[in-house]
């Protein structure tokens, strides 16, 4: 049976889009270094989820 290594990533809002991109890029590098083939991020990539649905 073949296997696939995966990693799930959840992070808090850093305060701005650019730093969120940097955090996620580092997560990809870290996961790949650990052998992950699939990486799943949270549903909201950037933005303050506490603002409510109108923010999306």
């Amino acid at each position: 049976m073949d296997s696939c290594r995966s990693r799930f990533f959840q992070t808090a809002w850093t305060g701005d889009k650019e730093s969120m991109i940097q955090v996620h890029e580092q997560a990809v590098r870290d996961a790949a270094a650990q052998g992950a083939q699939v990486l799943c991020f949270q549903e909201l990539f950037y933005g303050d989820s506490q603002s409510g649905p109108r923010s999306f």
Side-chain angles (χ1 to χ4, degrees):
M1 175 188 274
D2 292 332
S3 63
C4 178
R5 293 190 64 148
S6 62
R7 182 173 176 188
F8 293 85
F9 182 75
Q10 180 77 39
T11 189
W13 172 238
T14 60
D16 65 275
K17 179 179 175 179
E18 187 58 38
S19 65
M20 284 297 284
I21 291 171
Q22 291 171 1
V23 166
H24 284 74
E25 287 176 344
Q26 186 61 51
V28 170
R29 287 189 287 275
D30 293 345
Q34 295 173 12
Q37 298 165 298
V38 175
L39 179 58
C40 301
F41 294 114
Q42 68 267 15
E43 67 281 359
L44 178 62
F45 184 74
Y46 64 88
D48 180 4
S49 63
Q50 302 303 312
S51 298
R54 293 183 180 189
S55 299
F56 312 113

